[in-house]
Amino acid sequence: MSVPSLKKIAILLPVPFDQTFTYQVPEALTVGRGDYVQVSFGSRTLIGVVWGEAEDVAEEVPAPAGEVITKTRAAYTLKPILKKKDLPPLTDQTRQFIEWVSQYYLSPLGLVLKMVMAEPSVFKERKRKTSKEAPALQPRVPVVLSEAQQHCASFLAERLNGFHTVLLEGATGSGKTEVYLELIKEASDRGKQAVVLLPEIALSAQWVARFERRFGEKPLLWHSDLTSAQRRDNWEKVARGDARVVVGARSALFLPYQDLGLVVVDEEHDGGYKQESGVFYQARDMAVVRASFASCLVVLASATPSLETLVNVEQGRYERCHLGERYAEATFPEVVLVDRREEKGGGVPGSQWISKPLYQEMKETLAAGNQVLLFLNRRGYAPLLLCQACGMRTTCKQCDAWLVYHKSQNKLQCHHCGHGEKPRTVCPGCGAEKSFVPCGPGVERVMEEVTALFPDARPLMMTSDTMTTMKQAEAMISKIENREVDIIVGTQVMAKGHHFPHLTLVGVIDGDLGLGGSDLRLVERTYQLLHQVAGRSGRAEKKGRVLIQSHRGDHPVMCALLVQDPSLFLALEKESREMYGFPPYGRLAAVILSGRQAPEVEKAARALAAVIPRVKDIEVLGPVPAAMSRLKGQYRWRFLVKSPRTLKLQAFLKRWRAAAALPAHIRFQIDVDPYSFF
Ligand SMILES: [Zn+2]
Ligand SMILES: [Zn+2]
């Protein structure tokens, strides 16, 4: 019997396999690389992407589901492609990007594709609206840039034609956004697409308003808060090249751009760019990779650049342009330290969290008709409840963590797994009644104190609990802008990017929060956060003041803030990272084992330790029970892998993973360039 000569083709499917699958192309169908096609996979029908000729695919391992037909079998046993989708093919650039991300983070290729095919409803059968190409961006009003802005704008525009990474550095309010908006227009004039990443979707409302004022139209939005129909339309517009400017969360980096000409990462230092579920990745770093495949410019903007980026600049991998003078010549706020150790007994009556100097200045600021921000990076009312009779603390059933008391909802909540329960009236430890007292402050508690101390002021609380949608965020921001609010109590949600000219006093309730811990970036983050909060104050013509309450006034972070000299702080921080060989001077990867049974996880960790490949200069620390030894009901053990910067860890990690014969119910996770160490 003769075998019909049909073309075999490799298809990548959005399923957690690190391989392609082989299908046959029916004679009536022509498909090319990058086309979206429908195939049957097991009992399901899936949409996948044509990855190449089947012969091109180097290794094919039979999948557990038995989907892969090995090459020795006759071609006619292959399943056919069912249908080709009417969508522009995935570009080579995007396919290369997917492969790169998969290899670098050791995540299955199919899972990375799934991030690109982010909205399943795109691929459902339906009548398509014909979208039209966006018209060129037209500035509504002529924009006058300062000399420094003009300089940066031309510096960047000169680099639009190829792959360049530039740090756009400038203090809060120096007008970085105006500079890169200019660049977006330039890229759009050249017929290219531009994407702007923001670390927090709550930020996008103000950003969009600004864009609209400038160009009289809205950019295309991409984040999890959109409806499925909006996501479908937006995804398609990007894929068809009809959307010129996209602004969104880190996931916007994975949209199927047709012709990417500019990538902007705003607030590049923000920890929000690190994803720690599914595919673990750092969107700022991947923005640079994506731009290199697209041969385009990537701009990293920040007032407080990350140490990683600063070292990349120093070592010549990235370029830098700097906005020296502040926009509209607003002066930088004055920073004052309030040492709470010296206060003993001399505080404000009825006040636990607001010191006397802060109270005095709040009174004066409000009397002058200005606004006050009290900053505390802790949600809820109190970080835990404590039984006064026996000392028992409220802990999560599933995690090795305290339950945070949210008084407004009368609920105890775990901030790691989301578990919630009602506070108990009887202590389960000793049987005492009504013995639980709140320990330490959260924003709700500070809010309570503010209401008691300033009964006539109009307070507003801004946290991720009160700003769950973009609409709510927008409403709160306009309330502050319209001066319908006198005192704002907020977490870090508040610290990012907003512009409030009448806000002239910032009180940092606990400047020490974040200084005691083992996370290598904790000190850096605390410094950045406090610096940013300070930047909220007095950005227009009014001079601002910042009071930082601290019990550790002699800490280097506090000293650096007081003298307004980041170089002092950065020099110290760099020195200590270099000494320990930590990033950016060395490479790290975390390996996390988890499972339901504590002894089994430990056994697996010990077994894994026994098969660590020996490679010169690669050091493996552990195994140790994770600092958070139980998370969401899973027991956890960790390894930390360390190497010099010149070595790549991926080959080592792959070998190690292959050598480990772990039981199926033990989860093995790799976090390359980790940000969390618990
Ligand atoms: Zn008790
Ligand atoms: Zn929990």
Side-chain angles (χ1 to χ4, degrees):
M1 249 176 83
S2 68
V3 179
S5 64
L6 291 176
K7 238 167 98 192
K8 288 186 288 177
I9 217 139
I11 310 263
L12 183 62
L13 295 168
V15 289
F17 289 108
D18 197 26
Q19 61 168 92
T20 55
F21 296 92
T22 306
Y23 288 85
Q24 78 172 37
V25 186
E27 248 168 311
L29 203 63
T30 325
V31 293
R33 223 180 276 270
D35 277 336
Y36 296 91
V37 292
Q38 191 175 325
V39 295
S40 66
F41 182 73
S43 57
R44 292 183 289 169
T45 304
L46 292 179
I47 305 292
V49 173
V50 176
W51 218 247
E53 302 278 327
E55 283 77 11
D56 290 347
V57 182
E59 274 173 72
E60 281 193 16
V61 192
E67 291 304 319
V68 169
I69 309 297
T70 53
K71 283 168 193 159
T72 49
R73 284 210 232 156
Y76 58 78
T77 61
L78 290 175
K79 288 180 185 170
I81 289 175
L82 301 174
K83 205 181 271 176
K84 184 171 121 177
K85 287 281 162 183
D86 172 29
L87 283 166
L90 205 60
T91 61
D92 282 351
Q93 284 172 14
T94 307
R95 294 191 313 106
Q96 287 163 345
F97 178 58
I98 290 171
E99 286 181 345
W100 203 97
V101 171
S102 160
Q103 279 162 24
Y104 186 80
Y105 290 111
L106 299 163
S107 281
L109 208 50
L111 274 191
V112 184
L113 176 67
K114 199 175 173 193
M115 295 201 294
V116 173
M117 295 171 62
E119 182 47 48
S121 68
V122 167
F123 307 98
K124 294 221 176 84
E125 289 304 319
R126 73 201 146 89
K127 261 219 155 81
R128 283 177 204 288
K129 278 185 264 169
T130 44
S131 66
K132 46 181 191 300
E133 201 181 321
L137 288 177
Q138 292 297 341
R140 269 177 146 183
V141 279
V143 179
V144 185
L145 295 182
S146 71
E147 210 173 300
Q149 285 176 317
Q150 192 61 60
H151 170 78
C152 282
S154 8
F155 180 90
L156 291 166
E158 281 164 23
R159 282 156 182 79
L160 265 177
N161 269 340
F163 171 53
H164 296 274
T165 310
V166 182
L167 165 65
L168 174 58
E169 191 183 355
T172 313
S174 61
K176 295 185 290 290
T177 313
E178 294 307 320
V179 169
Y180 72 69
L181 282 181
E182 199 61 27
L183 210 62
I184 288 172
K185 168 152 178 31
E186 185 70 34
S188 149
D189 285 351
R190 300 180 188 190
K192 300 274 191 178
Q193 292 176 299
V195 55
V196 178
L197 303 183
L198 302 175
E200 186 105 33
I201 63 158
L203 283 177
S204 56
Q206 231 186 2
W207 197 95
V208 169
R210 208 155 164 185
F211 186 91
E212 223 180 335
R213 273 200 301 277
R214 175 90 170 253
F215 297 115
E217 60 178 277
K218 279 193 161 85
L220 187 128
L221 280 171
W222 186 262
H223 52 69
S224 54
D225 204 21
L226 300 176
T227 66
S228 171
Q230 285 170 324
R231 282 166 69 88
R232 184 191 63 205
D233 287 351
N234 290 358
W235 192 96
E236 252 199 79
K237 278 183 189 156
V238 173
R240 294 190 185 280
D242 295 338
R244 286 277 171 74
V245 185
V246 178
V247 58
R250 59 181 181 234
S251 56
L253 192 64
F254 289 86
L255 285 170
Y257 299 96
Q258 275 306 307
D259 193 3
L260 195 56
L262 173 66
V263 183
V264 178
V265 183
D266 207 348
E267 313 266 342
E268 67 88 26
H269 61 277
D270 199 290
Y273 285 120
K274 180 69 164 64
Q275 167 149 314
E276 294 185 328
S277 60
V279 178
F280 288 47
Y281 69 93
Q282 182 11 305
R284 185 229 13 244
D285 297 347
M286 288 311 99
V288 175
V289 173
R290 175 115 219 196
S292 81
F293 284 120
S295 297
C296 76
L297 171 66
V298 52
V299 177
L300 310 177
S302 176
T304 53
S306 63
L307 209 59
E308 276 85 354
T309 296
L310 287 173
V311 170
N312 275 323
V313 170
E314 268 169 31
Q315 301 184 346
R317 283 184 290 269
Y318 297 175
E319 293 174 276
R320 176 199 334 231
C321 71
H322 187 79
L323 283 171
E325 117 210 26
R326 293 195 63 195
Y327 199 53
E329 269 152 10
T331 39
F332 206 88
E334 198 180 326
V335 181
V336 182
L337 195 76
V338 179
D339 196 331
R340 299 219 69 183
R341 288 173 299 192
E342 290 165 10
E343 209 178 41
K344 289 181 191 98
V348 187
S351 147
Q352 233 183 317
W353 318 112
I354 296 172
S355 63
K356 204 166 194 174
L358 180 56
Y359 174 73
Q360 279 303 337
E361 295 215 13
M362 285 175 76
K363 258 172 58 178
E364 285 161 28
T365 307
L366 295 174
N370 289 322
Q371 294 168 316
V372 178
L373 163 67
L374 295 183
F375 174 78
L376 177 64
N377 204 15
R378 207 189 252 151
R379 292 158 51 207
Y381 186 84
L384 77 155
L385 295 181
L386 181 82
C387 171
Q388 277 177 306
C390 74
M392 184 180 176
R393 298 154 175 187
T394 49
T395 49
C396 178
K397 282 190 200 118
Q398 306 203 73
C399 310
D400 192 9
W402 291 332
L403 290 174
V404 177
Y405 179 43
H406 288 251
K407 195 177 182 182
S408 56
Q409 299 156 282
N410 189 33
K411 204 171 89 178
L412 290 165
Q413 205 198 344
C414 173
H415 286 183
H416 296 278
C417 71
H419 165 78
E421 59 184 59
K422 286 259 173 273
R424 307 194 186 199
T425 45
V426 178
C427 172
C430 67
E433 270 180 56
K434 291 182 181 158
S435 60
F436 280 109
V437 289
C439 262
V443 276
E444 284 183 15
R445 201 168 189 182
V446 173
M447 186 74 172
E448 197 176 83
E449 195 165 297
V450 162
T451 317
L453 291 176
F454 301 94
D456 299 327
R458 297 162 300 175
L460 173 76
M461 195 166 75
M462 281 177 98
T463 75
S464 53
D465 296 307
T466 60
M467 292 166 70
T468 50
T469 65
M470 234 175 81
K471 272 223 163 67
Q472 282 175 321
E474 238 168 297
M476 286 188 178
I477 288 162
S478 68
K479 260 186 158 177
I480 302 173
E481 281 173 342
N482 298 333
R483 303 171 81 172
E484 291 161 30
V485 167
D486 303 309
I487 303 174
I488 306 140
V489 180
T491 59
Q492 62 172 359
V493 170
M494 179 59 220
K496 293 172 187 173
H498 301 298
H499 189 289
F500 303 125
H502 301 289
L503 184 66
T504 58
L505 176 67
V506 175
V508 177
I509 298 297
D510 185 356
D512 309 329
L513 199 60
L515 289 182
S518 60
D519 177 345
L520 74 97
R521 291 182 186 84
L522 215 58
V523 170
E524 183 191 4
R525 264 209 307 271
T526 304
Y527 177 77
Q528 286 165 340
L529 201 57
L530 294 183
H531 191 94
Q532 293 245 318
V533 171
R536 292 309 103 221
S537 153
R539 289 170 68 179
E541 296 72 29
K542 293 179 184 172
K543 194 168 155 60
R545 261 171 86 78
V546 180
L547 263 71
I548 301 178
Q549 303 188 144
S550 169
H551 288 92
R552 301 175 64 182
D554 43 4
H555 195 284
V557 173
M558 294 301 152
C559 301
L561 273 166
L562 284 184
V563 295
Q564 286 293 312
D565 184 3
S567 61
L568 185 86
F569 163 77
L570 287 167
L572 274 168
E573 186 65 14
K574 272 198 272 193
E575 209 173 284
S576 79
R577 297 248 195 121
E578 201 164 8
M579 198 159 74
Y580 294 109
F582 281 148
Y585 299 100
R587 294 184 188 275
L588 290 180
V591 170
I592 306 141
L593 291 184
S594 55
R596 290 243 152 233
Q597 306 295 331
E600 289 192 10
V601 182
E602 179 174 356
K603 205 175 129 196
R606 305 260 178 239
L608 194 60
V611 295
I612 296 172
R614 287 187 193 285
V615 176
K616 193 173 168 283
D617 291 334
I618 293 185
E619 192 186 345
V620 179
L621 310 171
V624 288
M628 185 160 291
S629 61
R630 205 160 50 103
L631 183 65
K632 300 178 189 179
Q634 299 276 318
Y635 289 89
R636 306 161 76 238
W637 280 66
R638 293 179 69 106
F639 293 86
L640 189 65
V641 185
K642 241 179 97 179
S643 84
R645 205 194 145 88
T646 46
L647 274 180
K648 294 224 179 336
L649 282 173
Q650 282 76 6
F652 168 84
L653 291 166
K654 263 188 168 163
R655 257 177 70 197
W656 190 13
R657 186 168 62 183
L662 293 176
H665 53 275
I666 299 288
R667 194 149 172 234
F668 179 98
Q669 275 175 312
I670 296 177
D671 186 1
V672 178
D673 306 332
Y675 274 56
S676 297
F677 296 87
F678 56 80

